[in-house]
Every structure is written in structure tokens, then in C-alpha cells.
Amino acid sequence: MTTPIKTLSEGQAKDLILEYAIENKDRTITAHEINREVFPHFNEDEIIFLFEKMQNTVDRVADIRISEYNCLITATGITKLFLEQGGFTKTEIEAIKEKNKQLEKEKIEFEKSKIDLELAKKMLKEYPYTKWFARIGFILALVLAAIELIHFYKG
């Protein structure tokens, strides 16, 4: 049941540990045994790291005990069900998809900000002309109003 480290994601490595725990469900398994039987290419610190990551997840999918001297794992009734539903690999893939969605949102927001900035620059560039058109229009309105008042009082 050995797998080279280079081809595994963290989620897959955690799932392999859980699978080994299920295969040996009648006993508690040490990090040293996981290192020897499942991941001989890993060093024991990497196995302990995976144990700690599994212990710190919201889902308690296995009974994991970590002490200063040893790391132990025992499969529980939830372990098999968790793996059947996709395990840590599925959780990892969902996290990656969520991160990609977030990155896409940020990219869209950035593009929107660039377009807003370009429009603001264009409006600032056109503002003096717009201001003069408004002044000329106001003066024309006053002149036309004065002409109408003159015609009104003469007539």
C-alpha cells in the first residue's frame, strides 16, 4: 500500500491514512507504523503533520491522539462513511474550487475598477467642455426669457 509522495495531495495522503486505519480497525495504529507501511517515502515528521491536520479539522472522522512521544489513530464508525463521501480529497477539491471562485471574483472586481477609473478619467477630461455648455445654455435661457418678457410687455 505504498504510494510515492510526489503523486499525492495532502487530502489523498490523509485518506490513505484513514483507509489503513479502517483496514486495521481492531487496533490503534502509530505514526511510525503508518510511516513504515503506507508512506515509506515520507519522514515521520510529515506523518505527524498529517495527523495534526486531521485532528484539527471540524469533522472528527477518527480517534486521533497526539502526545509528545507518540501519535495514534483508530478508525471510528464515522471513518468509513467519511471516506465513502469523498474524504479529505473531496474537501480539498471543494476548497480549491472555492478559492478559484474567489480569485475569479477578485479578478472581475479588479477589471471593473479599471473600467470605472477609465470612465472617471474620461469624464474629468470632458468636464470643462460640459461646464461651458451648461454656462452657455444658462445664458441662452436668460436671453430667451428676457426677449419673451420684452414681447410680453410690448404686446
Side-chain angles (χ1 to χ4, degrees), residues 14 24 48 62 96 105 113 115 135:
K14 291 177 190 176
N24 298 279
I48 292 168
I96 290 169
K105 275 184 182 179
S113 296
I115 291 169
R135 287 178 183 165

Side-chain angles (χ1 to χ4, degrees), residues 13-36:
K14 291 177 190 176
D15 287 345
L16 286 173
I17 291 171
L18 292 179
E19 287 173 12
Y20 188 78
I22 289 171
E23 289 172 10
N24 298 279
K25 63 184 173 195
D26 297 336
R27 61 188 183 86
T28 300
I29 299 155
T30 65
H32 179 72
E33 181 180 345
I34 294 285
N35 185 221
R36 190 180 66 240

Side-chain angles (χ1 to χ4, degrees), residues 80-119:
K80 187 174 182 177
L81 179 64
F82 178 73
L83 284 174
E84 287 172 353
Q85 293 176 350
F88 286 110
T89 304
K90 180 181 175 188
T91 305
E92 187 176 58
I93 290 169
E94 288 172 352
I96 290 169
K97 285 180 182 177
E98 188 60 37
K99 186 176 180 180
N100 287 342
K101 282 182 187 178
Q102 186 64 30
L103 289 173
E104 186 64 27
K105 275 184 182 179
E106 289 173 7
K107 181 180 174 186
I108 291 169
E109 281 295 319
F110 179 72
E111 291 296 323
K112 182 179 176 267
S113 296
K114 280 179 30 179
I115 291 169
D116 288 345
L117 180 62
E118 288 172 16
L119 286 173

Side-chain angles (χ1 to χ4, degrees), residues 44-63:
E44 200 160 329
D45 289 337
E46 291 172 305
I47 306 298
I48 292 168
F49 173 76
L50 291 171
F51 271 53
E52 289 171 347
K53 295 276 276 199
M54 286 191 291
Q55 187 180 36
N56 293 330
T57 60
V58 175
D59 303 322
R60 296 285 181 197
V61 296
D63 182 20

